[in-house]
Amino acid sequence: FIDKIVFTREKESIPYWNKFLQGYYDQSGISNDNFDSAVRISQSGDAGLSDEMAARGIRLKTSVATSTYYLAFNWLDVVVGGQGDTAQRERSKRLRQAISIAVDFDEFISIFANGRGIAGQGPIPPGLVGFREGVRGMNPVVYRAEQGKVQRRPIEEARQLLAQAGYPGGRDAKTGQPLVLYLDTTAGGPGDKARLDWYRKQFQKIGIQLDIRTSDWNRFQEKVRKGNTQMFFLGWNADYPDPENFLFLLYGPNAAVRFDGENKSNYQNPSYDRLFEQMKTMRDGPKREDIIDSMVELLREDAPWVWRSEEHTSELQ
């Protein structure tokens, strides 16, 4: 129905934004630098156009993206993963749970995304079967219900979990050595410094030292594929509107190292795998939703990911 679409790539945000304001482009996203001049947030938290944008005849379009972003733990790693005997697996789980509480993605969204997003409670984004809102949909490992509202658990609970994992105050109870964890990322430019410093501070809240290792995208992919990581960030955009497209990211036979699949964290839980195999080809309905709820509950307890966020996208037209 459209005769022609012209798409132009701008390497820098400032000329891109200025050309949109001058009418060269019909549509634009909103960078953090321009957010305050383009959007006004009401006391109730609703986003609306600034007077300047409205006077130009510009419209604001917002939506919730069917995508999720997460901090992954490599399940094959001896410290943060799911390997070893029963006692070791339990200690590693407590460590992952402590980090899940400490890394405050509610704060991250407020600081770095201008409030555009919601903190993740599990792998399924809004708009898909299996996503739950409010208290019913909260991750009880990271949040608790207080007077009908979802509240993040206090940092003291994270410190208690860390001590149960064998690292009281962020030190190995046996050796006294500080706990140092490693995060692999492709973010290393000047614009990324504030975010990386923020991550370090989140781990410091419970006494963990975070060592950030940066590399280019190809090298990063190779490290993830071979399992030469401890923690890393990734995300997933829906290929099709079904929860299976997100739950398969943690299915054991999709593990990256063994099977070159999309389970980049190499998570393995036989109970989860059995439920996935039962759920994946079922028609939507109460039985399928019950299975999905059980799968999400297992993931929240095991914490192979720190559920980061589901984004709210904003565009100007």
Side-chain angles (χ1 to χ4, degrees), residues 199-258:
Y199 286 121
R200 288 189 181 96
K201 290 178 181 178
Q202 301 305 297
F203 282 78
Q204 287 173 359
K205 289 189 298 188
I206 54 176
I208 298 176
Q209 297 180 27
L210 183 64
D211 188 340
I212 297 177
R213 304 183 294 198
T214 61
S215 58
D216 61 34
W217 176 241
N218 289 338
R219 174 60 179 154
F220 172 80
Q221 286 185 303
E222 182 182 4
K223 293 176 74 172
V224 171
R225 186 168 55 250
K226 293 183 176 180
N228 297 328
T229 60
Q230 193 171 57
M231 298 182 297
F232 54 91
F233 285 107
L234 276 179
W236 188 262
N237 297 311
D239 296 308
Y240 41 88
D242 190 272
E244 183 273 340
N245 191 227
F246 289 87
L247 296 173
F248 95 114
L249 297 171
L250 290 155
Y251 178 48
N254 283 338
V257 172
R258 290 188 62 193

Side-chain angles (χ1 to χ4, degrees), residues 89-128:
R89 292 198 301 272
E90 186 66 21
R91 289 193 295 269
S92 297
K93 182 174 73 172
R94 297 302 179 199
L95 173 59
R96 296 191 300 272
Q97 291 176 340
I99 294 170
S100 298
I101 296 173
V103 182
D104 188 348
F105 280 122
D106 297 276
E107 181 181 282
F108 179 93
I109 293 167
S110 176
I111 295 174
F112 297 107
N114 298 106
R116 291 176 288 176
I118 57 174
Q121 305 292 333
I124 303 174
L128 297 185

Side-chain angles (χ1 to χ4, degrees), residues 48-279:
L49 273 178
S50 66
D51 293 339
E52 178 187 353
M53 295 296 110
R56 291 171 175 264
I58 292 172
R59 297 175 298 167
L60 175 67
K61 179 183 177 182
T62 62
S63 62
V64 179
T66 50
S67 58
T68 190
Y69 300 89
Y70 55 87
L71 168 62
F73 299 103
N74 180 8
W75 210 248
L76 304 178
D77 183 80
V78 67
V79 178
V80 302
Q83 304 298 299
D85 58 24
T86 302
Q88 177 58 46
R89 292 198 301 272
E90 186 66 21
R91 289 193 295 269
S92 297
K93 182 174 73 172
R94 297 302 179 199
L95 173 59
R96 296 191 300 272
Q97 291 176 340
I99 294 170
S100 298
I101 296 173
V103 182
D104 188 348
F105 280 122
D106 297 276
E107 181 181 282
F108 179 93
I109 293 167
S110 176
I111 295 174
F112 297 107
N114 298 106
R116 291 176 288 176
I118 57 174
Q121 305 292 333
I124 303 174
L128 297 185
V129 171
F131 177 81
R132 310 292 189 188
E133 293 185 307
V135 173
R136 187 184 178 195
M138 76 175 185
N139 179 358
V141 171
V142 180
Y143 296 86
R144 63 188 182 189
E146 294 183 0
Q147 298 180 340
K149 294 183 178 180
V150 176
Q151 301 289 338
R152 177 173 286 271
R153 291 186 178 275
I155 196 65
E156 184 54 39
E157 292 193 26
R159 297 189 179 108
Q160 292 172 3
L161 286 166
L162 191 64
Q164 294 170 16
Y167 304 100
R171 290 183 175 272
D172 191 307
K174 296 180 180 179
T175 67
Q177 295 297 312
L179 176 60
V180 181
L181 298 181
Y182 299 91
L183 173 66
D184 281 284
T185 179
T186 59
D192 298 314
K193 184 179 184 303
R195 286 181 173 82
L196 297 180
D197 287 345
W198 183 86
Y199 286 121
R200 288 189 181 96
K201 290 178 181 178
Q202 301 305 297
F203 282 78
Q204 287 173 359
K205 289 189 298 188
I206 54 176
I208 298 176
Q209 297 180 27
L210 183 64
D211 188 340
I212 297 177
R213 304 183 294 198
T214 61
S215 58
D216 61 34
W217 176 241
N218 289 338
R219 174 60 179 154
F220 172 80
Q221 286 185 303
E222 182 182 4
K223 293 176 74 172
V224 171
R225 186 168 55 250
K226 293 183 176 180
N228 297 328
T229 60
Q230 193 171 57
M231 298 182 297
F232 54 91
F233 285 107
L234 276 179
W236 188 262
N237 297 311
D239 296 308
Y240 41 88
D242 190 272
E244 183 273 340
N245 191 227
F246 289 87
L247 296 173
F248 95 114
L249 297 171
L250 290 155
Y251 178 48
N254 283 338
V257 172
R258 290 188 62 193
F259 306 107
D260 197 27
E262 293 297 338
N263 179 356
K264 303 301 186 183
S265 59
N266 301 292
Y267 173 67
Q268 184 82 44
N269 183 324
S271 297
Y272 179 88
D273 292 345
R274 285 193 295 270
L275 290 172
F276 178 85
E277 289 161 3
Q278 184 180 354
M279 173 280 306

Side-chain angles (χ1 to χ4, degrees), residues 39-50:
V39 176
R40 292 287 181 267
I41 304 297
S42 68
Q43 292 182 347
S44 61
D46 296 326
L49 273 178
S50 66

